Amino acid sequence: MTRSRWLAQTCSDALDRALGLRFVQEVHTGVISDQAYADYLLIEERFVETATRLHGLAVWDAPDRDALERNAAAAYALTTEQTDYFRAARAAWPVPSGLGPDALARADRLSAYALDTARAGGYPAVTTVMFAAEILYLTWCTRAHQQGTVRPGPIGDWVALHARDPFRAGVAALAAQVDRLTVPDDDLVRWFTGMLDAEVEFHDAIYT
């Protein structure tokens, strides 16, 4: 068994908790409100900026050319394809975000956790927390895209973006990087589950 698969299986309880999020279920069934998705757009765009910084740190600390190229490509996608998505989605969405400062502060704890972990653990930590975030999105978006009744338009576009290449291929490449990490198993589990727990609080912030 690869180390990335072992990690996902070992942390399956944390992953299942994240997959059971109200946000995930409402997108899957097509019942998410205009206001909830407007609020999600705001906090997710803020986290995409954090993810770009994380991949930049991983470029700096990359142990080999494959890791350097993978993280550079991820940073490029976040600052082009995903930036374009948010710009178009905000313009098309019928209501603006109404999140207050307390909810925003709660959502921003995901960025704080990821950045603090990355600064403390370097490249292995960046790789692990991004793998946790991306395996979560690949899993729920693939299920929603294939089996759900996702609303068309910006929501459907966002789900499809995370259910197909190049995102799917990027997650596979990220898993391969996890396979090559040499840090202790306990560190991987702590970073992975910590990121998923922070993802839960992040997504629940739009309902506070």
Side-chain angles (χ1 to χ4, degrees), residues 125-198:
V126 175
T127 301
T128 305
V129 298
M130 291 310 300
F131 179 59
E134 293 191 7
I135 199 70
L136 169 63
Y137 263 66
L138 176 64
T139 303
W140 81 259
C141 287
T142 298
R143 290 177 181 176
H145 187 62
Q146 295 178 349
Q147 304 164 14
T149 52
V150 181
R151 290 174 56 180
I155 299 177
D157 293 344
W158 184 244
V159 169
L161 181 69
H162 293 88
R164 57 168 169 77
D165 286 331
F167 184 80
R168 180 175 293 275
V171 176
L174 189 54
Q177 291 180 50
V178 172
D179 294 340
R180 295 194 292 270
L181 297 177
T182 58
V183 297
D185 290 346
D186 287 350
D187 288 341
L188 294 185
V189 171
R190 175 166 50 84
W191 294 332
F192 191 93
T193 58
M195 187 64 174
L196 290 176
D197 289 344

Side-chain angles (χ1 to χ4, degrees), residues 31-203:
V31 301
I32 190 166
S33 69
D34 288 347
Q35 188 62 64
Y37 198 73
D39 294 340
Y40 170 75
L41 284 172
L42 174 63
I43 64 172
E44 183 64 15
E45 186 171 18
R46 287 159 71 104
F47 181 73
V48 164
E49 293 181 4
T50 296
T52 304
R53 297 177 190 279
L54 291 168
H55 284 296
L57 178 60
V59 167
W60 181 264
D61 286 342
D64 54 48
R65 186 171 184 83
D66 285 346
L68 187 153
E69 291 178 353
R70 147 66 190 164
N71 284 283
Y76 178 79
L78 290 170
T79 54
T80 53
E81 183 179 27
Q82 292 207 17
T83 297
D84 291 343
Y85 167 81
F86 286 111
R87 185 180 297 113
R90 284 198 313 274
W93 208 245
V95 297
S97 172
L99 278 185
D102 290 345
L104 282 173
R106 185 180 177 191
D108 284 343
R109 290 173 192 162
L110 176 63
S111 288
Y113 174 81
L115 291 170
D116 289 348
T117 301
R119 291 185 181 107
Y123 174 84
V126 175
T127 301
T128 305
V129 298
M130 291 310 300
F131 179 59
E134 293 191 7
I135 199 70
L136 169 63
Y137 263 66
L138 176 64
T139 303
W140 81 259
C141 287
T142 298
R143 290 177 181 176
H145 187 62
Q146 295 178 349
Q147 304 164 14
T149 52
V150 181
R151 290 174 56 180
I155 299 177
D157 293 344
W158 184 244
V159 169
L161 181 69
H162 293 88
R164 57 168 169 77
D165 286 331
F167 184 80
R168 180 175 293 275
V171 176
L174 189 54
Q177 291 180 50
V178 172
D179 294 340
R180 295 194 292 270
L181 297 177
T182 58
V183 297
D185 290 346
D186 287 350
D187 288 341
L188 294 185
V189 171
R190 175 166 50 84
W191 294 332
F192 191 93
T193 58
M195 187 64 174
L196 290 176
D197 289 344
E199 289 275 10
V200 169
E201 184 172 22
F202 171 84
H203 289 86

